[in-house]
Amino acid sequence: MDGFVCVRVVQMHGADLELFQFQRQLTWAAVFLNADGTIYGRYGSRSERRGMKDNDKDISLEGFKKALEGALELHKGFPANKAALAGKRGPAPLAKTVEKLPAAPPEEAKPARAGDHGCIHCHQVQDWEALSVWKSGKPVPDKLLWPYPMPDALGLTLDIRERATVSSVAEGSPAARAGFQAGDRIVALDGQPVISIADVQWVLHQAPEPFTLKCEVDRGGRKVSVELALSEGWRRKGNFASSLSLGWTLRMQLAGMKCDALSPDEKKRLGLGEDALAFRIGEITPEYVKRRNNSARKLGLKKGDVITEVDGRTSSMTETELLAYLAQQKKPGEKLSLTYLRGGESRQVELDLP
């Protein structure tokens, strides 16, 4: 750490969203910067919401130390390597600061003052970005719903104790078809030097679809080039409903309820086919949630009701797919047609979207 000037940012009030672009659904993150704003890399990964006992599953002190070492190596090569680092700065954000996001609640986004205990959390930035797009009447893009995908979605598991080293490759996966092997250390992706799993996520996050990602790996001291094919919609394999807050925000503010997909056995007991749509309502948005869709409560929907049809759709879907449908195919003020079972009786309602 002696080679760094360490700056700790504990909340997002006034933070430059153009400079500080990273996976928001995290407990903490590190951005390695040159004094002129050039980014050497990032550290901090989280594949899904985790409890206190396992929230370090995707990070380690060993991996952080090696990312620090990698950043110092890149610093020694600066400015000769500046062109290769340009891609580590992302496109212009929706707003320069979080306070200027249209969906940022005024009471929470007000400027911080000395002595205030209020805090804008990192995860709230992503939540408000997604809501800002939706409230404008536009579909929320995949990049906001499934941001910074873990390489596991492509069959590539990386060792959290190393920079970006492959520990295993899933058989039949895009990574396997590309020719990745256990032990490969990813040196560069799309021309960008890589020093952490978070750096891999950054490149995957920014990549268009479909796309062929050019990769440079170190395989036992030998440089090997690999091409990784990204198909249209590949990142949709992720489960944002279980993320730190995005899933919670969308279910509370758009759906107004939490829905749990039924297992095949549960469907069978209800006389439903294995591929039938079936959600059990696990919770109606509590009244203490200030910004909520109260329509489900007003319609009389209850915990335990089983939804079997959504806007005429009867095929199986996950809660993530349901929330994505609301965020990408429905607009503010529209209605959502629902058919549900209660006590063996089928009922129909129309849910109002906010």
Side-chain angles (χ1 to χ4, degrees), residues 262-265 267-268 272-277 316:
L262 268 61
S263 69
D265 286 342
K267 292 179 184 180
K268 186 177 181 180
L272 301 173
E274 186 175 342
D275 294 327
L277 186 152
S316 181

Side-chain angles (χ1 to χ4, degrees), residues 320-341:
T320 286
E321 291 171 332
L322 173 63
L323 296 177
Y325 174 74
L326 296 179
Q328 296 184 317
Q329 298 188 47
K330 305 295 286 188
K331 294 181 179 181
E334 291 186 344
K335 293 183 179 295
L336 183 73
S337 297
L338 300 175
T339 299
Y340 67 97
L341 295 174

Side-chain angles (χ1 to χ4, degrees), residues 1-155:
M1 297 291 286
D2 292 341
F4 295 86
V5 175
C6 300
V7 179
R8 184 185 181 199
V9 180
V10 297
Q11 47 79 26
M12 293 297 288
H13 278 291
D16 184 345
L17 298 185
E18 185 170 1
L19 177 62
F20 293 108
Q21 296 187 33
F22 55 90
Q23 184 184 7
R24 310 290 190 194
Q25 306 286 316
L26 291 174
T27 304
W28 69 278
V31 181
F32 308 118
L33 296 164
N34 183 278
D36 70 350
T38 298
I39 295 176
Y40 293 132
R42 296 167 172 81
Y43 189 84
S45 301
R46 195 177 198 164
S47 55
E48 59 186 35
R49 185 172 186 173
R50 303 190 185 282
M52 292 299 292
K53 293 182 179 180
D54 63 353
N55 62 5
D56 60 348
K57 184 176 180 180
D58 300 311
I59 56 176
S60 72
L61 287 175
E62 298 95 332
F64 183 50
K65 179 177 181 292
K66 291 184 178 180
L68 289 168
E69 293 170 349
L72 291 176
E73 290 172 12
L74 291 174
H75 183 63
K76 288 180 181 179
F78 191 82
N81 57 4
K82 189 170 184 177
L85 298 169
K88 290 180 178 283
R89 292 290 293 260
L94 293 175
K96 182 68 172 176
T97 64
V98 63
E99 292 90 341
K100 294 182 180 180
L101 286 169
E107 68 274 17
E108 295 186 36
K110 63 182 179 181
R113 297 175 299 176
D116 279 355
H117 295 288
C119 173
I120 296 179
H121 299 263
C122 297
H123 62 82
Q124 289 177 298
V125 178
Q126 183 192 347
D127 299 348
W128 296 345
E129 285 175 333
L131 287 174
S132 293
V133 174
W134 188 76
K135 289 182 177 181
S136 73
K138 298 178 182 179
V140 181
D142 283 4
K143 283 179 64 174
L144 279 179
L145 295 179
W146 290 274
Y148 300 93
M150 290 291 284
D152 302 70
L154 296 165

Side-chain angles (χ1 to χ4, degrees), residues 183-243:
D184 285 349
R185 182 170 72 86
I186 301 173
V187 177
L189 281 178
D190 199 30
Q192 297 180 36
V194 170
I195 60 173
S196 66
I197 297 175
D199 274 0
V200 175
Q201 290 178 268
W202 169 260
V203 177
L204 294 177
H205 175 67
Q206 300 297 344
E209 299 175 17
F211 188 66
T212 298
L213 195 60
K214 294 184 178 180
C215 318
E216 180 184 325
V217 304
D218 182 316
R219 183 172 293 167
R222 182 167 56 93
K223 178 181 176 181
V224 177
S225 295
V226 176
E227 292 191 347
L228 181 61
L230 304 178
S231 60
E232 188 74 33
W234 70 271
R235 69 181 69 214
R236 286 175 162 263
K237 295 178 181 178
N239 179 23
F240 71 77
S242 68
S243 62

